[in-house]
């Protein structure tokens, strides 16, 4: 994890300071940074990156905390848990397109309210998408980051004794929500700090969602860096590298700012705990949390439904709620182009996920056989590709790949995808693998099985569902990779994600919907297999059907 990121960062720092012999940069010079800070939009782009990142992370964390505090242990919470996998599997680009089609001036919300509330007979002249403050971008990020942080929080709740602490607080007269925030949240947050940092770094530097929902004049800093990277004038590479280093500095600064905010909130929290206040507007908080969960999930679900309708829509005039006619003409017209791109996407995702899964199983089995207990440092290494901005080290990796001649092909894209798929596969599989009851292994050894026999004939079959789920998560992560595919593939490797984002500038909602739905269907397929394959394989083993 550390090697590719370090190589990429070093490959970015060199051109940022003017050293890139292939383009005539033979000496160290701060000229690129001078050009960067002379660019008129640098202040606005930097502020946008910081504010949208902080806002999206703060809102997502607050919503997850409210949902867990108000509903954990209830039937509604179990429903929310079941919805996590499908929501997580939806690629960021597809979710952003779905949200855009909902909230656009001519979107479904405007159409649904026009007849009886607003009276609009034409789309209103409102700048909702790509607004200058990045509000639609923040909304798109929150919709996708809430399921991720909720999944990380559920994993953390399973590692600490939350029920006992909360029950004790309830017995002392604390309101349920207050009890959760005072006794559970501090320990949970300590467990999910790294995922929160990953969300913060991603929200500050995301490219595909910013291209769909973010401002354009100027864009966020990451989008502008990509424009400079793709500029036909190769001298812009120096400027792009300097901007990538500046983006990395902004992320580090924002994380330090977040850490200072943690200290301040912890100080205020200790005073709140010491005050002994037991009350809490439980009903109000429960209503707000449930509404937030429904709004977040509904944005994705109805967004996908909107994509489905647009993909088969004939004439659809505003303010009609539904098209005048449905037709499969768009699907048929693009089927020939869609199939090879979908095949390429499938091959890249399958190979990168398989490699990541084998590496993860090897690491976890090595822990078991050699009695290793990785600490927090190992976890930090795992999160390095998620915390370091993609734009900050992928630009350097692309430069190094050009020098070695391995850029612009499928192998290069797969290699880069593994860097991002492996952490998610490991995080998904580590807890179930470590929680496996070792007594089964002792019985197998007593019957003469060796270490390999226990692994292949007992442990892995019993962990079939967690393994398939981890593979499905990795597959979905690979499907959604835009910037790694674009840079490692040098624009010559086409996937459903790169094509869908490229079509965003065209504005043809029917074509965009076809590609976004194909992307989502491909990401959902492994989750369906993870659900049904164990049930079929273990149909005669009742105890293993849901293992």
């Amino acid at each position: 994890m550390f090697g590719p990121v370090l190589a990429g960062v070093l490959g970015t720092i060199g051109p940022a300071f003017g050293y890139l012999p292939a383009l005539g940069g033979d000496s160290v010079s701060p000229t690129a940074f001078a050009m960067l800070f002379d660019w008129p939009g640098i202040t606005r782009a930097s502020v946008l990156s910081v504010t949208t990142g902080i806002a999206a992370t703060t809102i997502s964390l607050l919503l997850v905390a409210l949902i867990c505090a108000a509903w954990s242990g209830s039937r509604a919470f179990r429903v929310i848990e079941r919805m996590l996998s499908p929501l997580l599997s939806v690629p960021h680009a597809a979710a952003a397109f779905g949200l855009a089609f909902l909230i656009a001036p001519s979107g479904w919300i405007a159409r649904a309210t026009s007849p009886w509330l607003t009276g609009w007979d034409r789309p209103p002249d409102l700048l909702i998408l790509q607004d200058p403050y990045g509000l639609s971008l923040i909304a798109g990020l929150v919709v996708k980051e809430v399921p991720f942080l909720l999944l990380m929080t559920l994993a953390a709740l399973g590692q600490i004794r939350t029920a006992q602490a909360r029950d004790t607080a309830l017995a002392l007269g604390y309101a349920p929500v207050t009890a959760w925030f005072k006794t559970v949240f501090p320990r949970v947050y300590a467990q999910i700090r790294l995922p929160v940092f990953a969300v913060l770094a991603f929200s500050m530097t995301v490219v595909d969602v910013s291209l769909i929902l973010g401002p354009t004049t100027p864009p966020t800093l990451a989008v502008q860096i990509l424009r400079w990277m793709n500029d036909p004038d190769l001298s812009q590479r120096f400027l792009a590298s300097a901007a990538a280093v500046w983006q990395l500095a902004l992320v580090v600064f924002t994380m330090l700012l977040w850490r200072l905010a943690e200290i301040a909130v912890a100080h205020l929290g200790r005073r709140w705990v010491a005050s002994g206040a037991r009350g809490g507007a439980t009903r109000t908080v429960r209503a707000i949390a449930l509404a937030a969960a429904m709004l977040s999930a509904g944005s994705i679900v109805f967004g996908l439904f909107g994509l489905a309708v647009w993909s088969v829509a004939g004439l659809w005039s505003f303010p009609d709620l539904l098209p005048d006619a449905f037709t499969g003409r768009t699907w048929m017209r693009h089927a020939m182009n869609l199939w090879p791109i979908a095949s390429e996407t499938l091959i890249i995702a399958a190979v990168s996920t398989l490699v990541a899964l084998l590496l993860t199983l090897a690491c976890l089995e090595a822990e078991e056989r050699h009695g290793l207990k990785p600490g927090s440092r190992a976890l930090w290494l795992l999160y390095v590709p998620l915390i370091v901005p993609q734009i900050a080290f992928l630009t350097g990796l692309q430069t190094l790949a050009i020098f070695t001649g391995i850029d612009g092909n499928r192998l290069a894209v797969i290699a880069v995808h593994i860097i991002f798929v492996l952490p998610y596969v490991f995080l998904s599989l580590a807890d179930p693998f470590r929680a496996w009851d070792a007594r089964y292994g002792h019985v197998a050894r007593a019957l003469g099985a060796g270490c390999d026999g226990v692994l292949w004939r007992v442990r892995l079959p019993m962990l079939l569902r967690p393994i398939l789920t981890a593979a499905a998560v990795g597959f979905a992560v690979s499907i959604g990779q835009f910037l790694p595919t674009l840079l490692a593939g040098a624009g010559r490797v086409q996937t459903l994600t790169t094509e869908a984002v490229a079509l965003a500038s065209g504005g043809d909602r029917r074509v965009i919907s076809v590609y976004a739905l194909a992307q989502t269907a491909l990401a959902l397929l492994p989750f369906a297999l993870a659900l049904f394959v164990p049930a079929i394989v273990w149909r005669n083993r009742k105890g293993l059907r849901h293992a």
Side-chain angles (χ1 to χ4, degrees):
M1 292 293 94
F2 186 70
V5 175
L6 178 61
V9 170
L10 293 177
T12 302
I13 291 176
F17 286 94
Y19 185 77
L20 188 58
L23 297 180
D26 298 320
S27 60
V28 176
S29 169
T31 303
F33 284 99
M35 293 172 58
L36 173 66
F37 294 120
D38 283 340
W39 178 56
I42 183 61
T43 301
R44 181 64 181 162
S46 301
V47 170
L48 273 173
S49 296
V50 173
T51 53
T52 54
I54 291 177
T57 307
T58 303
I59 295 172
S60 300
L61 179 62
L62 180 60
L63 291 181
V64 168
L66 288 176
I67 292 170
C68 292
W71 293 98
S72 58
S74 66
R75 183 178 301 176
F77 195 73
R78 288 192 291 272
V79 173
I80 294 174
E81 288 184 72
R82 294 191 192 100
M83 294 179 63
L84 276 181
S85 292
L87 294 178
L88 279 170
S89 66
V90 178
H92 282 80
F97 280 125
L99 180 64
F101 291 178
L102 281 179
I103 66 175
S106 59
W108 247 0
I109 294 178
R111 292 172 182 271
T113 57
S114 293
W116 55 275
L117 183 62
T118 62
W120 290 327
D121 58 358
R122 65 187 64 186
D125 187 15
L126 298 174
L127 186 59
I128 298 176
L129 298 178
Q130 300 180 329
D131 64 284
Y133 300 104
L135 299 180
S136 58
L137 173 59
I138 293 171
L141 291 170
V142 169
V143 163
K144 276 298 294 176
E145 298 309 332
V146 164
F148 171 72
L149 282 181
L150 185 56
L151 180 66
M152 295 295 102
T153 301
L154 291 176
L157 288 172
Q159 299 175 14
I160 56 179
R161 299 173 61 184
T162 59
Q164 294 88 337
R166 190 181 183 188
D167 290 345
T168 301
L170 292 175
L172 293 173
Y174 286 87
V177 173
T178 304
W180 194 91
F181 273 103
K182 286 192 174 186
T183 63
V184 178
F185 181 72
R187 288 184 289 170
V188 168
Y189 185 79
Q191 297 284 334
I192 65 170
R193 178 178 285 115
L194 285 178
V196 169
F197 280 163
V199 169
L200 179 60
F202 177 83
S203 300
M204 288 182 62
T205 61
V206 64
V207 173
D208 51 352
V209 180
S210 297
L211 286 170
I212 299 167
L213 298 173
T216 56
T217 52
T220 59
L221 186 56
V223 172
Q224 185 60 45
I225 294 171
L226 181 62
R227 291 180 180 176
W228 284 327
M229 285 291 295
N230 293 330
D231 197 294
D233 183 2
L234 295 180
S235 64
Q236 296 295 305
R237 286 294 182 98
F238 296 101
L239 181 58
S241 297
V245 173
W246 174 241
Q247 178 78 84
L248 177 61
L250 284 177
V251 171
V252 173
F253 167 76
T254 307
M255 287 184 177
L256 292 175
L257 197 65
W258 187 275
R259 183 70 186 114
L260 292 176
E262 287 180 358
I263 296 172
V265 171
H267 175 72
L268 295 175
R270 283 192 292 268
R271 295 182 60 181
W272 179 51
V273 171
S275 69
R278 288 169 167 77
T282 301
R283 290 185 178 179
T284 302
V285 173
R286 285 171 68 92
I288 293 174
L290 184 60
M294 293 176 63
L295 183 61
S296 178
S299 298
I300 297 178
V301 173
F302 284 103
L304 292 177
F305 187 57
L307 292 175
V309 174
W310 268 110
S311 70
V312 294
L315 178 64
W316 195 355
S317 302
F318 190 90
D320 295 343
L321 188 60
L322 291 173
D324 293 337
F326 294 94
T327 174
R329 188 179 306 162
T330 307
W331 283 96
M332 290 186 291
R333 188 169 65 247
H334 292 274
M336 294 299 294
N337 293 330
L338 191 64
W339 174 247
I341 296 174
S343 301
E344 185 71 22
T345 307
L346 180 62
I347 292 171
I348 292 172
V351 174
S352 58
T353 301
L354 179 61
V355 174
L357 186 62
L358 291 176
L359 289 173
T360 297
L361 289 172
C363 289
L364 294 172
E365 180 64 13
E367 288 181 17
E368 174 68 21
R369 295 192 185 188
H370 302 289
L372 302 175
K373 293 183 178 180
S376 58
R377 292 182 180 179
L379 199 59
W380 270 97
L381 287 177
L382 194 66
Y383 272 94
V384 162
L386 308 182
I387 293 177
V388 178
Q390 290 184 359
I391 199 72
F393 73 91
L394 286 177
T395 51
L397 276 184
Q398 186 192 37
T399 302
L400 295 175
I402 292 173
F403 287 155
T404 56
I406 62 171
D407 70 309
N409 56 50
R410 182 189 297 166
L411 182 61
V413 174
I414 291 173
V416 174
H417 276 215
I418 292 171
I419 299 173
F420 300 100
V421 172
L422 180 57
Y424 287 97
V425 173
F426 193 98
L427 292 170
S428 301
L429 188 55
D431 287 341
F433 195 95
R434 292 165 180 162
W436 181 71
D437 193 341
R439 291 176 295 180
Y440 292 109
H442 299 329
V443 172
R445 290 190 184 93
L447 295 174
C451 293
D452 291 341
V454 171
L455 175 65
W456 294 104
R457 299 175 63 185
V458 181
R459 190 167 200 156
L460 295 187
M462 292 184 68
L463 294 175
L464 179 61
R465 185 180 292 274
I467 290 172
L468 291 178
T469 302
V473 170
F475 195 92
V477 169
S478 179
I479 292 290
Q481 294 299 316
F482 170 72
L483 191 62
T485 305
L486 187 65
L487 295 183
R492 295 194 291 271
V493 178
Q494 294 178 317
T495 64
L496 291 172
T497 301
T498 59
E499 287 303 295
V501 176
L503 289 168
S505 60
D508 190 334
R509 294 187 180 183
R510 293 169 179 82
V511 181
I512 290 173
S513 298
V514 166
Y515 278 85
L517 284 174
Q519 179 195 28
T520 303
L522 208 59
L524 282 170
L525 178 61
F527 284 95
L529 294 176
L531 182 65
F532 292 112
V533 168
I536 296 173
V537 172
W538 304 126
R539 61 189 181 278
N540 296 324
R541 301 287 188 274
K542 183 178 180 180
L544 289 175
R545 288 179 190 172
H546 307 289

